[in-house]
Amino acid sequence: MSDSLGGTVVIVIIVVFITLVSGYMAFNINYTKAFKMKNKIIDTYEKYNGACNTATDCNKEIENYAKEIGYNTERFNCSKGTAHGTIGKYCVYEVTVASEYSESDKNAIFNGNDFCDDYRKYYEITTKPETPKIPIFYYFFRNTGYFSVSGNTKILCNDG
């Protein structure tokens, strides 16, 4: 009788271990997708000089890439102010840069690149990995905002 009870405990331990390892691996895959998505959004915003506010080729390019890599996360709330360019899968914030810089600041910030004298801005991009639908992981991590990936574009000039 004690052998059967010991066997049951070992099976439960093995099942819990497999569930934890599977959840960890699934989360890592989704976290990698979130990093790839953030990098693609940054590249695309820089390519189109930030003109991604409406249904343009920029947004189509981002959406096609999301489908290509399988980036499909739950809608999440953007935490800071008003965001534009959100499709529910990522947040984009436009940040205006001050207009007065000393020459040393210009060189440090723009790394010797062209400096525009009018309106300057950069975009802060935030993506979030999908929470795996594995029972233990999903229960604990479904509503947390701890796992997000953020990055900034380079400083862009207004062509406008």
Side-chain angles (χ1 to χ4, degrees), residues 14-136:
I14 290 172
V15 168
V16 168
F17 178 75
I18 289 173
T19 302
L20 290 175
V21 169
S22 299
Y24 178 74
M25 290 173 58
F27 186 76
N28 278 337
I29 290 169
N30 290 332
Y31 210 70
T32 301
K33 288 179 186 179
F35 267 100
K36 287 180 178 181
M37 192 66 194
K38 178 214 35 127
N39 291 337
K40 178 62 175 179
I41 295 168
I42 288 173
D43 291 344
T44 307
Y45 264 72
E46 289 175 354
K47 176 180 170 184
Y48 288 94
N49 201 29
C52 294
N53 298 347
T54 59
T56 61
D57 291 338
C58 177
N59 280 334
K60 290 177 187 171
E61 190 173 324
I62 292 170
E63 279 297 308
N64 288 338
Y65 186 75
K67 289 176 186 173
E68 181 181 315
I69 66 168
Y71 177 75
N72 185 23
T73 188
E74 301 93 2
R75 288 174 123 359
F76 68 102
N77 295 329
C78 300
S79 60
K80 296 190 291 186
T82 304
H84 70 85
T86 61
I87 311 174
K89 298 178 181 179
Y90 62 92
C91 296
V92 180
Y93 306 101
E94 183 177 306
V95 180
T96 304
V97 179
S99 59
E100 289 87 25
Y101 288 109
S102 67
E103 285 301 317
S104 62
D105 287 342
K106 288 179 187 179
N107 290 332
I109 293 171
F110 292 94
N111 297 324
N113 295 329
D114 293 335
F115 182 79
C116 51
D117 289 325
D118 57 351
Y119 180 71
R120 288 172 303 282
K121 63 189 178 267
Y122 68 91
Y123 294 92
E124 185 178 315
I125 313 295
T126 304
T127 60
K128 177 184 160 190
E130 181 180 9
T131 305
K133 302 291 190 280
I134 297 172
I136 296 171

